[in-house]
Structure formats: C-alpha cells, structure tokens
Amino acid sequence: MTGNGGAPQSEGKDPRLEACGRCPARDLGLCPSLQQEPGLPLETGFARARRKLCHQGEAASHVFILCDGWAFRFVTLADGRRQILDFLLPGQLTSTAAPFSDYHEASVQTLTPVRYARIERQKLLSTLRERDHMLLRLTELCVADIQRLQDCIADLGRRTAMERVARLLLGLYERLEMRGAVEDHAFEFPLRQEHMADALGLTPIHVGRMLRQLRTARIIRLQARQLQLLDLAALREAADGGLESA
Amino acid sequence: MTGNGGAPQSEGKDPRLEACGRCPARDLGLCPSLQQEPGLPLETGFARARRKLCHQGEAASHVFILCDGWAFRFVTLADGRRQILDFLLPGQLTSTAAPFSDYHEASVQTLTPVRYARIERQKLLSTLRERDHMLLRLTELCVADIQRLQDCIADLGRRTAMERVARLLLGLYERLEMRGAVEDHAFEFPLRQEHMADALGLTPIHVGRMLRQLRTARIIRLQARQLQLLDLAALREAADGGLESA
DNA sequence: CGGATAGTTGAGTTATCTCAAATGCAGTGG
DNA sequence: CCACTGCATTTGAGATAACTCAACTATCCG
C-alpha cells in the first residue's frame, strides 16, 4: 500500500489517521468516478507533520489528494522569502491545476500528520479526455480556485493587516464548517503565526499583535491549537475595516 | 452588427479599430471552432477608452473577448479601494473563468478604445459540453490563469515596490512580444501610474518614484504613452531585488 | 488659450518590519 | 516529579518602506 518508489517517503502508520475511511476526493465530486475507473488506481500513503509532499520545480508524475490532516501550498523566492498560496483541508487536491502541469509550480508541506492518495498524472489525463463529465467538474474546481485566488490578491493588495488576519480566520472557519469540523464555533487550528504571516504577506510578530488585539477584545480564543470564534459579528466587522488602530 | 440590447453600449466606430481583421479569440485556440460552430454566434462591438464593459456583481449573460485595445479586470471593496487583477490584451477572454460564472466576479474597464466580441454564455456552455476539445482548451487556459494569479500573490505578499514595478513592466513586455507588438524593445503603454498602483497594491505616487528611479538609471524610457526597455538585463536584476534603496 | 488630466516634488506620518530579549509551553529523560 | 531542551509567542524599541496631503508643473485636447 505504501511501497511507492521515488515519491515522498511514507512515514509509517499514525493511529490518528488509521481509522479514517472517508472519501478521499470529496471536494472533487470525482470520488465515485475515480474509484470505479478501472485504469485509475489510487495509491494511499501517510506523511508526518512538517514533511514536504511536493517540491516546487520538480517533475510531477502524480497528483495528490489530501484525505486527512492539513497542509499548505507555497512558493519560495530566490532569496528565501516564502508565500503561502493556500491551506489544504481534507478532501482537496493538492493543487487544482496540478493534473495539467508537467512540473510542480509550488511546493506542498504538511501541517499535521496526513493521509493522502495519489494518482498517476498521465492516467488521470487520459481518463479526463474520455470522461467529459470529470473534466467539466475539474474545470469548475479551477474556476473556484481562480475566484479564491482573486480574493486573495485583493486582500494582499488593498487590505490592512487586521482585515487580512480576520478574513483568514473567517475563511477557514467557513470551509471547516462546510465539512462539519466545527463545534460551538471552535475547531482544530494547527497554524503557527509564521504560517499565517506567510499567507498574509506579513511578519509573524505583526500577526501576533493582531491576534492579541482580537483576543483582548474577546473576539477569538486561541489556545492549545484550538481556535474559537467568540464574537462572529465583531470578527466580520474587523474583517471589513471596523477594527483599525483601536 | 452593434445593435445589441441591454449590454454595454456600443460607442460608434473608431477608425483605429475599424481596420482590424485579426482573429478575435487568438489566445483561446477556440477561434476556429467558434467561428465554425453554428449555434455560437459572435456579436462584435466597440467601446471607447475608460468605459466599463462588465460590472462586478451583475448577472453575466455574455462572455466577452477583446479583439483590439487594452482593458483591465478589477474588483472594488466596500469603501472604494480598488485592486486590478489583470491587464487584458487583444485576443484575451475578459476572464477565463467567465463562462462558468453566473455573475461577474469582477468589473472590466477599457484603457484604450476597444473592439470586442461577445457570445451568449449559455450557448457557449452547451457547446463546451458537446465539444470536449474546446472544454479541454478552456481548462488549460484556466490553469495558466491560476499560475499567473499565484505569481501575482507572491509578488504582492513578498516583493518590494521596486520588484513589483519591474516585474509588471517585464511581464507586459513579454506578453506583447509574443503578439508581435514590440519593436526595438518599445511598445504602446496606455497605463497610468494609478493603474499600476492598483495592480501592484501601491500608491500612484510611490509608483512614480520607482519609475523615476528606473528612468534616471537609464533602464527604461517612458513618454508619450510609449515604453522602451533600454536595459533589459538591469530591469531583470531590479525585478529580483537588485535595485533596492539605491 | 483654458480646463482637465497626469505627473512631480517635498515634508510629515504611519503601518509594518527588524532585531533582541523575555516569557511561556510541551515534550524528554533522568 | 523536576530540570532541560526546543519551539512558539509576547513585548519593546528603533528603523524604514510606503502612505498622505498639498502645492506645483507638465501635458494633452478641444
């Protein structure tokens, strides 16, 4: 099952992941097709936290789907500056555009222990050419991706640090709620300030200041890798410029 | 030919555009298919400079293709802050994701007089469902779009003002060169500092300072809406952090 | 010529960064 | 149970890139 060669090393079993039997490609809607498709074998594997699944610039022989755990996709500039492009939640393709790129345009790194599935890219492509409903679905995912990236550009270009932080938290909250991973407005939150900083174009220190502001205003509670949104309305307010320089 | 109802008003004829007989969808590769496709009528129209072709939030009944002239796609935040997402050159779809969105996710405004074509979105969609090679091509365009947007995010998140300006100029140069619109490293350049600022997440004044630096360093020449790249190597250098605080 | 638009320049302000030290917290091993 | 180590976070004090505002100049276009 994990005896794959060349690709990211599988890291043995993790009890937190072992039990999971959920659909590996929930977001795709490809899920049933993939599993029925005879020429499309799914290999599964595990990786521990802080491991790289894909390396920017390398040839991309496989496409990865996250089954369990969090990861993020990012690029690094020549001098080491890092920009996180997206946080990846269970059920997501590692990159929507990946099936069509011969090389990894970005790197992917795990935040938590992760169970993943991978598919040979060429086989996926030929299947896509035959099965137009699958292609259409994938295209729709690309469109959603474009939409999200554009929002992100507006955030980075024109929003303040506080707005960016608030919007990041809200965005993750909404995505996790759709997956049923939220209870009492609280959820697992494996991000470090460093990750938020690299996603938001800020410094970890400044992210920390914004978080403290939100915490002392009783808008969020963040401890022990758990985030709780205490005052959703106020957070939405902050996300739209309502909490500047206070 | 221009008697369309409801959509952006056609603005009469402009001699600069009248003569153009180039393919309206060059970038798409859809071009031959579109024109052959019986159920896919192309209407063409004209718009003057500074006119809006699409309005963020409105229902999208048609998909637009730019035939001649420049435009840009942008979003505005509640308080009026503006972020430009892309500059649109002849041959481009107004937005790659547009065929799949019921509403305009962004606005489009012309920079120069423009000739455009438009297609009824529903008809395009049903054609896409029948013609998988067209869908595949469109998907590939989406993938390219994602790639560009991600680069843009890295720019906004982690690059300095000088790097951003240099990269914008280089990017436009390369895109225009592919279209044969560059001569002696010089090309038409209808952008105001205001537009560059809104694309780069900066202030027009600060963009002006960066341009002046490039100009006094004899790296670019910019006058009379013409941009010439005098020292391409130095500009590439500047685009990667080689000209800070000088 | 005049009026609108775009660009320049300079001075003062601010958001965010950098650097460095202090604090807290979690896991490890004795 | 307690020190020890390695991270992550907090706090503070400058430094700086980029912003704001306002006045001035240049350019375009009728």
Side-chain angles (χ1 to χ4, degrees):
Chain A
M1 172 165 306
T2 58
N4 42 31
Q9 59 296 5
S10 293
E11 312 252 0
K13 310 181 179 185
D14 179 311
R16 281 177 55 192
L17 301 178
E18 203 64 74
C20 170
R22 276 181 284 165
C23 164
R26 178 168 41 175
D27 269 12
L28 294 183
L30 294 176
C31 172
S33 325
L34 279 181
Q35 289 174 336
Q36 289 160 16
E37 212 64 53
L40 258 191
L42 272 181
E43 305 168 44
T44 66
F46 296 89
R48 296 206 272 149
R50 296 155 191 258
R51 291 299 186 284
K52 277 180 107 171
L53 289 183
C54 308
H55 298 255
Q56 178 178 2
E58 285 189 3
S61 58
H62 291 72
V63 167
F64 288 78
I65 297 169
L66 218 58
C67 304
D68 263 294
W70 290 43
F72 61 95
R73 186 158 40 92
F74 66 101
V75 292
T76 39
L77 306 188
D79 59 357
R81 284 172 286 180
R82 182 173 76 169
Q83 177 66 44
I84 291 180
L85 302 169
D86 201 3
F87 293 106
L88 308 173
L89 306 182
Q92 280 197 267
L93 264 174
T94 238
S95 151
T96 318
F100 300 94
S101 301
D102 289 339
Y103 296 89
H104 291 294
E105 308 286 359
S107 302
V108 173
Q109 185 168 337
T110 60
L111 284 162
T112 67
V114 150
R115 185 168 66 93
Y116 64 85
R118 44 172 235 175
I119 309 169
E120 240 183 90
R121 203 168 66 80
Q122 286 309 328
K123 290 196 177 157
L124 175 57
L125 275 179
S126 58
T127 306
L128 283 175
R129 264 189 276 273
E130 290 158 16
R131 301 271 184 162
D132 38 342
H133 71 279
M134 256 178 75
L135 176 59
L136 189 57
R137 176 66 191 147
L138 190 56
T139 307
E140 284 165 358
L141 282 178
C142 282
V143 168
D145 225 38
I146 289 174
Q147 186 51 45
R148 229 182 15 69
L149 290 171
Q150 288 183 353
D151 286 350
C152 187
I153 287 175
D155 289 355
L156 291 176
R158 287 306 183 205
R159 290 193 187 273
T160 66
M162 177 55 84
E163 291 175 279
R164 297 185 210 183
V165 170
R167 288 172 58 84
L168 174 62
L169 302 185
L170 278 172
L172 288 170
Y173 169 74
E174 280 160 17
R175 285 167 68 186
L176 286 165
E177 198 181 32
M178 287 195 305
R179 284 157 215 269
V182 174
E183 191 146 350
D184 192 24
H185 293 171
F187 49 92
E188 286 296 323
F189 192 79
L191 305 191
R192 308 284 130 111
Q193 296 185 356
E194 174 200 348
H195 299 120
M196 299 190 238
D198 279 338
L200 301 174
L202 298 170
T203 288
I205 292 160
H206 202 62
V207 169
R209 289 195 244 270
M210 299 300 112
L211 289 175
R212 185 168 44 75
Q213 251 189 269
L214 290 174
R215 205 175 310 146
T216 60
R218 306 272 155 185
I219 293 174
I220 65 170
R221 202 154 61 100
L222 176 53
Q223 54 189 354
R225 305 280 92 93
Q226 274 266 331
L227 175 63
Q228 182 167 31
L229 308 187
L230 301 170
D231 188 342
L232 213 40
L235 190 55
R236 294 225 165 83
E237 192 64 19
D240 244 293
L243 196 65
E244 301 311 326
S245 75
Chain B
M1 175 160 307
T2 59
N4 44 29
Q9 59 297 1
S10 293
E11 310 252 2
K13 311 181 181 186
D14 180 311
R16 283 176 52 191
L17 302 178
E18 203 64 76
C20 169
R22 276 181 284 164
C23 165
R26 178 167 40 174
D27 269 13
L28 294 183
L30 294 176
C31 172
S33 327
L34 279 178
Q35 290 174 338
Q36 289 161 14
E37 213 62 54
L40 258 192
L42 272 182
E43 305 169 45
T44 66
F46 296 88
R48 294 207 273 149
R50 294 154 193 260
R51 292 299 186 284
K52 275 179 109 172
L53 288 184
C54 308
H55 297 254
Q56 177 178 3
E58 286 189 2
S61 59
H62 290 72
V63 167
F64 288 78
I65 296 169
L66 218 58
C67 303
D68 263 295
W70 290 43
F72 62 96
R73 185 158 41 91
F74 66 102
V75 293
T76 38
L77 306 188
D79 58 359
R81 283 172 287 181
R82 181 173 76 168
Q83 176 67 43
I84 291 180
L85 302 168
D86 200 4
F87 294 107
L88 308 173
L89 306 182
Q92 280 197 267
L93 266 174
T94 238
S95 151
T96 317
F100 300 94
S101 301
D102 290 338
Y103 296 90
H104 290 294
E105 308 286 0
S107 302
V108 173
Q109 185 168 338
T110 60
L111 283 161
T112 67
V114 150
R115 185 168 66 93
Y116 63 86
R118 43 174 238 175
I119 309 169
E120 239 183 90
R121 203 168 65 81
Q122 286 308 327
K123 290 195 178 157
L124 175 58
L125 274 179
S126 58
T127 306
L128 284 176
R129 264 187 277 272
E130 290 157 18
R131 300 271 184 164
D132 37 342
H133 71 279
M134 257 178 74
L135 175 57
L136 189 58
R137 175 67 191 147
L138 190 56
T139 307
E140 285 165 357
L141 283 177
C142 282
V143 168
D145 226 38
I146 289 175
Q147 186 50 44
R148 227 184 15 70
L149 291 171
Q150 288 183 351
D151 286 349
C152 187
I153 288 175
D155 288 356
L156 291 176
R158 287 306 182 205
R159 304 196 105 107
T160 65
M162 177 55 83
E163 290 175 280
R164 297 185 210 183
V165 170
R167 287 172 59 84
L168 174 63
L169 301 186
L170 278 172
L172 288 170
Y173 169 74
E174 279 160 17
R175 286 167 68 185
L176 286 165
E177 199 181 33
M178 286 195 306
R179 286 158 214 270
V182 174
E183 190 146 353
D184 192 24
H185 293 172
F187 50 92
E188 286 295 323
F189 192 79
L191 305 191
R192 308 286 130 109
Q193 295 185 353
E194 173 200 349
H195 299 120
M196 299 189 238
D198 279 338
L200 301 174
L202 298 168
T203 289
I205 292 163
H206 202 61
V207 169
R209 289 194 245 269
M210 299 299 111
L211 289 176
R212 183 168 47 74
Q213 252 189 269
L214 290 174
R215 206 175 307 144
T216 60
R218 307 272 156 185
I219 293 174
I220 66 169
R221 203 154 60 100
L222 176 53
Q223 56 189 351
R225 303 281 91 93
Q226 274 265 331
L227 175 64
Q228 184 167 28
L229 308 187
L230 301 171
D231 189 342
L232 213 41
L235 190 55
R236 295 225 165 84
E237 192 63 20
D240 245 292
L243 196 66
E244 302 310 325
S245 76

